[in-house]
Amino acid sequence: MTDTVTGESAELDDLKLALAWIYGDVVHHDTVRRQEADLLGLQERYRAAVPLVAFIMLHSIGLLHRIQVLQSAGELNLDSAVFEEPVTLTSTTVLMEGTMRIAPVGSPAPATATEPLGRDWKVLLTPPLVGPED
């Protein structure tokens, strides 16, 4: 593909686009893949990734079923805890508590996460967080 405005071009297949979305957009780790795929945009990266992720999920479930069949037939001798240990969450709500502080515009911010805040920084009082399960 070639951008007619900038003249920039890239040869990317769906796998490269999908991996750019997974590792560049979601994980924020692979900036090279992300930059290579930027020409096609976020929507194209996402569209390429969805079938890949679904494919991996379906084949992972299929592999699990084959392992369960082999275990039941006595062909494998895996510890039963492997099949009984919980791996899913009953709730996907995650509440994180923190302290929010404010300061007048122009107040110096710390240069690092460990540097203390200046005396202009005050705790912003807020009501307790209420989640969907409360």
Side-chain angles (χ1 to χ4, degrees), residues 17-40:
L17 283 171
L19 295 177
W21 181 77
I22 293 168
Y23 295 111
D25 294 305
V26 176
V27 179
H28 298 295
H29 176 71
D30 196 333
T31 56
V32 174
R33 281 187 181 167
R34 168 68 192 277
Q35 288 171 351
E36 182 182 30
D38 265 348
L39 179 63
L40 295 175

Side-chain angles (χ1 to χ4, degrees), residues 34-95:
R34 168 68 192 277
Q35 288 171 351
E36 182 182 30
D38 265 348
L39 179 63
L40 295 175
L42 176 61
Q43 188 172 25
E44 289 304 315
R45 293 191 299 272
Y46 177 79
R47 284 182 182 173
V50 168
L52 175 65
V53 171
F55 175 85
I56 291 168
M57 290 172 62
L58 286 172
H59 284 275
S60 296
I61 292 167
L63 178 60
L64 172 61
H65 289 303
R66 286 189 179 102
I67 290 170
Q68 289 171 325
V69 167
L70 290 171
Q71 178 79 0
S72 295
E75 297 293 323
L76 294 176
N77 188 23
L78 300 173
D79 187 344
S80 63
V82 170
F83 299 99
E84 297 164 2
E85 185 175 332
V87 295
T88 59
L89 299 173
T90 55
S91 172
T92 56
T93 301
V94 177
L95 297 177

